[in-house]
Amino acid sequence: MYDLAVMWDWVAFSIRWLHVITAMAWIGASFYFIALDLMLKPAPGMPEGAYGEEWEVHGGGFYHTTKYLVAPERMPEHLTWHKWQSYATWLSGAALLMIIYWVGGELYLLDATKAELALWQGILISGGSLTIGWLAYDAMCKSKLSDHPTVLMLLLFVILVAMSWGYNQIFTGRAALLHLGAFTATIMTANVFFQIMPNQRIVVEDLKAGRTPDAKYGKIAKVRSTHNNYLTLPVVFLMLSNHYPLAFGTEYAWIIASLIFLTGVTIRHYFNTMHKTGTGPHWTWGVTVLLMIAIAWLSSVRPTETWEDAEARDLTPYEQKFASADGFEDAYNTILGNCSMCHAREPAWENMQWAPKGVYLETVGDVAQHASQIYLQAGISHAMPPPNAIQMDNEARETIIAWVREVRAGE
């Protein structure tokens, strides 16, 4: 029964929900601790060995926080680690990537107009690139470049730009930006798992044993944590980008993604400075606005593929399976009459500049490629088309359902 597609979609939705929840927890903890560290100030009468302190009010309680550079005379028995938010975010994100971009690779991952790849090749590039990215970044951080943090950050930015361009050469626009986000998030979580946590454990064990910790361990953890802090906002943008074709569906999407990393730096620099000094450099907002204006301008460049190009393209095996099925012609005509006015390379709907989510439903290949989405959005559910645009009757929806189930019944 093809309604297994419904269950599969709910599995994806549930994992996406988990991913968002854990990401909120991770980002919130990260931002809080960076702000806390920057706001702690020396004060008279602090305990011996204390570096800074502050107090906060939240939920009716008063919190007095003190930071020590060496072990205090007394430490509480219970130690709280903030690591599972990071791990759960990455694991749920990896599961979601596999469900959407590996299992659904013919639709979401591969772009035959960019590169002729088998699905297994696309999956290999997808997973392999995440691993290679972490290894390259980690090697840089362990080299003498660690003594030059600004140079290290610039080289990291160059790597991100190169990956943005590279992903855009082989994957769909949505997959390219999503993978750039996953590439960055992998570096961030690996920082926590392989560097920040192990080094902090060494320091904690030294403190418990009464030994003076080696300052290098704290330095390593601090550098990696700072990198994570500046990478957070661009990752959030990239994870949301698949909902906005203005971000992923343009000729210069890879440049848009690259510029977003610069906005992440300017925004975080403002808040980090504000937490430390009480006021932030206001020029950062001007730079951020200019970057967003440049991004908006780049997004106005329309894709080079025309209707004629799409019509002339050979169908992939996945598309051929749906296009040759019984009931396709009726379903195709139904979709053209109800969906293509918006889902077109040049939408006919007033004031609509881009097809929703970058989904085109004009040619035989378009409709066959998006069969599963059409089934879920306009077949068994009434999500599409919007009722204030077109009233699609039940008979039309049944035509779509019958077509897709015919294909699935033969699998």
Side-chain angles (χ1 to χ4, degrees):
M1 194 71 164
Y2 187 62
D3 280 346
L4 285 174
V6 177
M7 296 305 298
W8 187 245
D9 212 49
W10 274 107
V11 168
F13 189 4
S14 300
I15 295 176
R16 187 186 296 273
W17 188 20
L18 173 64
H19 184 55
V20 170
I21 291 169
T22 54
M24 289 167 60
W26 182 19
I27 293 168
S30 173
F31 282 4
Y32 173 74
F33 278 104
I34 288 289
L36 178 65
D37 189 59
L38 293 171
M39 289 188 293
L40 292 167
K41 301 291 189 298
M46 289 194 304
E48 183 179 354
Y51 169 78
E53 66 176 2
E54 70 157 5
W55 67 285
E56 300 173 274
V57 180
H58 180 75
F62 294 82
Y63 300 84
H64 183 190
T65 305
T66 305
K67 178 179 179 178
Y68 292 85
L69 296 181
V70 296
E73 291 184 5
R74 187 190 71 84
M75 290 191 294
E77 185 64 28
H78 179 65
L79 172 61
T80 301
W81 290 108
H82 292 271
K83 57 182 179 179
W84 295 111
Q85 302 98 318
S86 172
Y87 302 161
T89 300
W90 190 88
L91 289 171
S92 58
L96 195 60
L97 183 144
M98 293 175 188
I99 288 173
I100 296 176
Y101 292 96
W102 291 10
V103 177
E106 292 95 342
L107 173 60
Y108 293 110
L109 181 65
L110 302 179
D111 187 338
T113 66
K114 295 179 179 178
E116 291 287 344
L117 294 174
L119 179 56
W120 70 266
Q121 293 174 313
I123 292 173
L124 187 64
I125 294 172
S126 169
S129 63
L130 305 184
T131 304
I132 293 171
W134 157 249
L135 293 175
Y137 163 79
D138 188 52
M140 287 197 318
C141 289
K142 290 178 177 177
S143 71
K144 292 182 179 179
L145 288 170
S146 61
D147 297 326
H148 307 280
T150 302
V151 175
L152 184 59
M153 285 293 289
L154 288 174
L155 286 176
L156 176 58
F157 176 67
V158 170
I159 290 175
L160 292 169
V161 172
M163 291 305 300
S164 181
W165 178 85
Y167 281 135
N168 197 59
Q169 300 308 302
I170 54 176
F171 291 156
T172 65
R174 293 174 66 178
L177 265 63
L178 190 285
H179 275 76
L180 184 62
F183 179 91
T184 310
T186 298
I187 288 175
M188 295 170 66
T189 298
N191 273 340
V192 176
F193 186 80
F194 292 111
Q195 293 297 325
I196 296 174
M197 289 306 303
N199 285 305
Q200 287 184 340
R201 287 192 188 98
I202 293 173
V203 171
V204 168
E205 290 303 317
D206 284 343
L207 292 176
K208 288 182 176 180
R211 298 186 297 266
T212 300
D214 191 326
K216 72 176 183 180
Y217 298 114
K219 178 183 177 182
I220 292 171
K222 183 64 180 283
V223 168
R224 302 296 182 110
S225 181
T226 300
H227 288 176
N228 283 4
N229 179 250
Y230 280 101
L231 293 173
T232 299
L233 294 181
V235 169
V236 173
F237 177 95
L238 293 169
M239 295 306 173
L240 293 174
S241 66
N242 64 94
H243 297 285
Y244 296 93
L246 284 175
F248 70 77
T250 71
E251 192 73 16
Y252 301 109
W254 69 274
I255 300 179
I256 291 174
S258 301
L259 293 179
I260 282 298
F261 281 96
L262 297 182
T263 66
V265 170
T266 55
I267 294 171
R268 289 311 305 160
H269 179 62
Y270 174 86
F271 283 103
N272 290 342
T273 305
M274 182 184 68
H275 293 317
K276 185 175 183 178
T277 66
T279 181
H282 296 293
W283 61 265
T284 57
W285 291 106
V287 172
T288 304
V289 169
L290 290 176
L291 287 170
M292 292 305 297
I293 290 174
I295 287 170
W297 177 76
L298 286 169
S299 73
S300 66
V301 180
R302 302 194 69 83
T304 56
E305 184 188 56
T306 64
W307 183 90
E308 289 80 6
D309 295 331
E311 180 73 11
R313 179 176 65 82
D314 292 335
L315 300 184
T316 65
Y318 176 83
E319 294 165 348
Q320 185 63 43
K321 176 173 61 176
F322 284 96
S324 60
D326 290 341
F328 173 74
E329 185 175 352
D330 290 339
Y332 178 65
N333 291 330
T334 296
I335 293 161
L336 285 184
N338 290 275
C339 310
S340 63
M341 65 182 299
C342 295
H343 288 279
R345 286 158 182 82
E346 294 187 12
W349 190 261
E350 186 178 3
N351 296 323
M352 182 177 288
Q353 300 299 315
W354 302 91
K357 289 195 174 183
V359 173
Y360 304 130
L361 299 176
E362 296 179 289
T363 69
V364 169
D366 292 338
V367 173
Q369 181 186 24
H370 294 93
S372 296
Q373 287 177 295
I374 296 168
Y375 174 82
L376 293 172
Q377 298 282 335
I380 61 173
S381 81
H382 292 190
M384 288 290 162
N388 60 337
I390 293 179
Q391 294 291 329
M392 189 173 182
D393 59 40
N394 288 332
E395 183 180 353
R397 297 186 192 277
E398 289 297 327
T399 300
I400 292 171
I401 293 172
W403 159 53
V404 177
R405 285 184 174 174
E406 176 68 25
V407 176
R408 294 306 184 191
E411 291 182 341

